[in-house]
Amino acid sequence: MPSIFSRIVTGEIPCYKIAEDDHYLAFLDINPLAKGHTLVIPKREEDYLFDLTDAEIAGLMVFAKKVARAIEKAIPCSRIGVAVIGLEVPHAHVHLVPINGIYDIDFSKPKLKLSPEEFVEITGNIRTGF
Ligand code: 5GP
């Protein structure tokens, strides 16, 4: 059975899409730690990040860099924090989280509850930054 992220890749499940190319996709995390919290995934399904090929993992990080630059332009923050957890969704992904301090990337803290309108606005703001 395809992962929930593979179902997002095919469009079966909607997402707030930030960017994509032939191999990678970036979309807003539905339970964000901060406004602009984005997930970057390879379209090819692989559970564990370090089971990606060298080319895939390098390409994923280059793609994530472009996404991070766009997030920085849209969301006031001191930098984009990067995290790999992978305990919930078995499809390799990198979290990009706008942060001002270490607490902003504490995955044990309560997530933000954003309205669809807020997600749409954030998506638009980040997309203009490419
Ligand atoms: P992890 O696997 O890194 O522990 O966490 C998976 C992340 O994916 C979580 O931050 C969670 O909020 C996010 N997530 C889970 N399901 C969906 C979904 O259907 N859509 C989106 N946009 N994010 C999801």
Side-chain angles (χ1 to χ4, degrees):
M1 180 165 161
S3 74
I4 196 156
F5 288 172
S6 285
R7 295 167 70 195
I8 287 175
V9 169
T10 61
E12 183 191 341
I13 292 176
C15 71
Y16 297 99
K17 188 184 293 182
I18 299 298
E20 72 176 326
D21 66 11
D22 288 347
H23 302 291
Y24 307 103
L25 173 66
F27 53 95
L28 294 182
D29 192 304
I30 207 68
N31 294 305
L33 281 171
K35 287 187 176 181
H37 180 170
T38 299
L39 302 174
V40 184
I41 68 168
K43 291 185 173 179
R44 186 181 78 77
E45 184 172 333
E46 182 70 75
D47 176 357
Y48 187 39
L49 185 84
F50 295 124
D51 284 333
L52 295 174
T53 67
D54 290 356
E56 283 173 328
I57 200 166
L60 183 71
M61 290 309 291
V62 170
F63 187 79
K65 176 179 173 179
K66 293 179 202 152
V67 174
R69 291 296 189 212
I71 299 171
E72 283 169 348
K73 291 180 194 162
I75 308 288
C77 61
S78 57
R79 60 180 53 219
I80 303 299
V82 180
V84 176
I85 314 292
L87 293 173
E88 182 187 328
V89 177
H91 185 137
H93 54 280
V94 173
H95 295 258
L96 300 179
V97 185
I99 60 171
N100 292 295
I102 190 71
Y103 180 72
D104 295 330
I105 199 163
D106 176 355
F107 279 80
S108 65
K109 75 173 187 175
K111 307 301 186 294
L112 296 185
K113 294 283 177 226
L114 301 180
S115 67
E117 292 75 20
E118 286 176 300
F119 276 114
V120 167
E121 183 183 5
I122 293 165
T123 302
N125 289 344
I126 297 173
R127 287 175 67 130
T128 61
F130 283 91

